Amino acid sequence: MELEPEIYMNVPTIFPKTTTTTKELVPIVAVLMKSIGQIAINSPLIGLLDSGGSHVMIQRSKIPKNAKEITTTTTTFNTTAGQLATSSHVILENICLPELSRTKRIVQIKAYIFDNPSTPYHLILGRDFLHDAKINLNFGEQEIQWFDSKLPFHPRNHWRRPEFMNAFLEEETTRVQALQINQDAFKYEFENDSKVPLPSKYEKMDTNIMVDSYTHLDSNQRSDLKKILNSHPDLFSGKIGNYTSREFHLNIDPNAKPSFKSHYPCALKIQPILKDE
């Protein structure tokens, strides 16, 4: 499994708040993808993140007409939704879990086809998917964790309630329109994703050696520059200092309510560098 390079866009995630008091919550998510069996699709699917299942499975009713199926030996898989038999599979492309991240994309996965209308989920995302995508299910806290993103478990009927699905579809339409407006900027992000920033190295600098290398300056100019730089040794010590010349006072509205916002999204391969900074 491979994660596609990320794109960046701030689109607010606003869903109606659930008022359910049921204790039976499950790790279900909305799933978007580009195609099933090389046939493009536009509708979201309901997926169960299933640590009790071993593979990715998809309901036959969600396979589009003329999708490319690959026949395999008949096999039965154990899942949280029960035993499901399969004799073929399809390839899912460009998969997104928008509740957790609208920028991370899973390039391609194999999904075995099952035919069981009584199963309430369109997709069963088993342990192979959870492991490769590095998704953790925290049953103690009843939440899904995907890198720095967290999502609470939902009631079983969450995505079958019109107000939740309508809010999701409305927001998705806004996101797609924004993508179309900014497609040139996103193309730039993809083309330049391979340029990974290097970790900062804070080392003490010998200003005399540095100035001596400026051969475009004459001796008098180099001497003057050395005097200026040597009068500010803290700037070249290799250590991050503190600004102590002034005190600042911030006026805060005593009636203001704290607001939590997630950090600006960045590509997975540069996250360790940013954390070290």
Side-chain angles (χ1 to χ4, degrees):
M1 185 181 298
E2 181 183 357
L3 286 177
E4 190 175 80
E6 294 188 290
I7 55 179
Y8 315 117
M9 180 179 64
N10 288 327
V11 176
T13 300
I14 303 173
F15 293 121
K17 291 185 177 180
T18 179
T19 57
T20 181
T21 57
T22 179
K23 294 182 179 179
E24 192 173 6
L25 303 176
V26 290
I28 55 176
V29 293
V31 184
L32 298 175
M33 63 191 70
K34 179 182 179 181
S35 65
I36 298 176
Q38 299 180 358
I39 302 298
I41 67 166
N42 298 315
S43 302
L45 303 183
I46 301 170
L48 171 69
L49 301 180
D50 185 12
S51 59
S54 57
H55 293 73
V56 176
M57 306 192 73
I58 184 170
Q59 186 79 258
R60 176 163 290 283
S61 62
K62 294 302 175 181
I63 303 298
K65 184 179 179 180
N66 298 325
K68 182 179 179 180
E69 291 188 29
I70 302 171
T71 303
T72 59
T73 304
T74 300
T75 308
T76 299
F77 293 116
N78 292 317
T79 72
T80 301
Q83 285 193 337
L84 301 175
T86 179
S87 59
S88 61
H89 70 264
V90 290
I91 300 299
L92 313 182
E93 294 183 310
N94 200 10
I95 301 95
C96 170
L97 307 180
E99 294 172 278
L100 286 159
S101 173
R102 291 185 178 276
T103 62
K104 296 183 181 71
R105 297 288 191 278
I106 298 162
V107 176
Q108 190 179 89
I109 56 175
K110 178 196 296 184
Y112 291 92
I113 302 171
F114 70 94
D115 191 0
N116 188 343
S118 63
T119 301
Y121 312 112
H122 306 146
L123 281 170
I124 307 292
L125 302 170
R127 290 190 300 273
D128 56 348
F129 174 85
L130 299 176
H131 177 269
D132 292 342
K134 295 179 171 50
I135 295 177
N136 295 318
L137 302 181
N138 187 334
F139 288 93
E141 299 294 332
Q142 291 193 314
E143 66 181 13
I144 303 163
Q145 300 172 352
W146 196 16
F147 296 98
D148 292 334
S149 301
K150 295 182 180 180
L151 176 71
F153 289 2
H154 293 315
R156 291 182 182 275
N157 66 342
H158 177 82
W159 286 114
R160 299 188 183 278
R161 292 174 56 183
E163 64 268 31
F164 287 97
M165 184 55 73
N166 290 340
F168 171 78
L169 293 175
E170 181 178 352
E171 182 185 7
E172 188 60 22
T173 299
T174 302
R175 187 188 74 87
V176 171
Q177 290 172 345
L179 279 173
Q180 292 171 345
I181 294 171
N182 296 282
Q183 59 184 345
D184 291 338
F186 290 126
K187 181 180 179 182
Y188 175 83
E189 293 287 357
F190 277 110
E191 290 176 346
N192 291 274
D193 187 73
S194 60
K195 298 180 181 180
V196 179
L198 297 176
S200 298
K201 292 185 178 180
Y202 302 104
E203 299 178 347
K204 186 175 181 179
M205 173 65 69
D206 189 323
T207 54
N208 291 326
I209 295 176
M210 178 180 68
V211 174
D212 286 338
S213 67
Y214 297 163
T215 56
H216 61 288
L217 302 179
D218 60 34
S219 59
N220 291 330
Q221 290 174 324
R222 288 199 293 270
S223 177
D224 291 340
L225 181 56
K226 286 180 181 180
K227 291 178 181 179
I228 295 173
L229 298 183
N230 289 335
S231 65
H232 302 281
D234 291 344
L235 299 179
F236 306 94
S237 65
K239 299 179 181 179
I240 299 177
N242 299 314
Y243 183 77
T244 58
S245 298
R246 287 182 62 186
E247 289 188 0
F248 295 89
H249 178 74
L250 300 178
N251 295 316
I252 300 176
D253 184 352
N255 297 320
K257 295 181 180 180
S259 175
F260 172 80
K261 302 292 183 182
S262 59
H263 62 74
Y264 192 82
C266 66
L268 298 177
K269 56 188 175 184
I270 69 172
Q271 285 184 5
I273 297 174
L274 295 180
K275 287 183 178 180
D276 289 340
E277 291 295 309

